[in-house]
Amino acid sequence: MAASICFLSVVGLECGAYYTCRHTYEPTLIAELATAGIGGAVYAHPGVVYTPGHSGRLSGAALVDPVYALQVVPDVRIVRSESTTGIARAALAILASRGDDGQGGGAWEGSAGWDIVPHGSLAVHALVPDMCKGSPKPKMSARVERVAELVRDGMRKRHRFARPCDGHEAPAGGAPSATSGAPGAASERWLLQLLLLEADTLAISLCRCRAMGPIGGCWPNWRRPARPA
């Protein structure tokens, strides 16, 4: 079946952001977002909160960083298809447009500069809601990892920042190796998050990470998908 690309959200046809958190902490995270002036947040899945109409960014390019969020998946674009190949092709079509899905959201912040970002700067995280429940074998994890593998391979053919700089491969669901020697990695960290909401529904987010703290931390977490310990 050919991949079909459609814009979808939990509530209406609005661009938004997803936040992951520990399961049962969803009401606390929703309250924290409301206190920060981000109203209308809804429970999307166990461990996943959605903010329809709010991209996950504050004024300017800064990303919202709630205390109770494990990760932010900002400026999402949604694709649907029945097969993993179809989902990956649809995701690559959105990525080829740099996030412009024709629904008024426009291109992703900073995407005009992708062509000059150094090799090894892009991490690809494969996510499923079940990760937030602390399950040792999250449901649909193998499916989203296959999608991530196909998407990463497609991105490597088109963009140098998705390619390893010295042959050190990153797992489809993780970040480049800490020893890969990626030039500028500390200042040029980009994160592609693929959140499989349902077997046929994928949320896509690609953003530049913001440096935090003196020891190389950043938000969103670039090194690995954030999940409960």
Side-chain angles (χ1 to χ4, degrees):
M1 178 179 178
S4 60
I5 304 174
C6 66
F7 186 77
L8 180 75
S9 72
V10 174
V11 181
L13 298 177
E14 300 176 278
C15 181
Y18 286 93
Y19 298 83
T20 63
C21 65
R22 293 177 181 272
H23 181 38
T24 74
Y25 277 73
E26 301 90 350
T28 305
L29 176 55
I30 290 171
E32 182 184 3
L33 289 168
T35 300
I38 304 171
V42 295
Y43 175 103
H45 292 267
V48 181
V49 168
Y50 177 62
T51 55
H54 193 281
S55 68
R57 295 187 182 278
L58 301 170
S59 58
L63 291 168
V64 179
D65 184 8
V67 172
Y68 284 94
L70 295 172
Q71 188 74 302
V72 58
V73 186
D75 291 334
V76 294
R77 306 292 185 266
I78 307 291
V79 296
R80 296 184 67 184
S81 185
E82 292 183 355
S83 68
T84 55
T85 300
I87 293 172
R89 287 175 178 170
L92 286 168
I94 289 289
L95 289 161
S97 71
R98 308 204 178 203
D100 189 350
D101 57 5
Q103 300 292 326
W108 277 309
E109 179 80 28
S111 61
W114 287 358
D115 296 333
I116 61 172
V117 177
H119 289 73
S121 299
L122 181 70
V124 181
H125 289 183
L127 309 168
V128 291
D130 211 35
M131 292 171 64
C132 300
K133 296 171 67 175
S135 172
K137 295 182 179 180
K139 296 176 182 177
M140 304 192 298
S141 60
R143 186 173 180 84
V144 75
E145 285 166 6
R146 174 57 179 160
V147 170
E149 180 182 5
L150 293 170
V151 170
R152 184 193 61 179
D153 289 346
M155 286 290 286
R156 285 175 56 195
K157 295 175 182 177
R158 299 177 183 178
H159 301 286
R160 69 174 186 172
F161 77 145
R163 302 170 194 150
C165 60
D166 63 357
H168 287 270
E169 292 286 351
S177 167
T179 60
S180 63
S187 59
E188 286 286 347
R189 289 179 175 170
W190 290 76
L191 178 59
L192 172 58
Q193 297 184 85
L194 305 172
L195 172 59
L196 193 65
L197 299 166
E198 304 287 351
D200 64 350
T201 305
L202 182 74
I204 308 161
S205 168
L206 203 162
C207 68
R208 183 175 183 173
C209 299
R210 175 169 57 92
M212 296 182 65
I215 57 173
C218 57
W219 181 256
N221 188 331
W222 183 82
R223 287 291 177 192
R224 57 184 178 182
R227 59 185 297 173

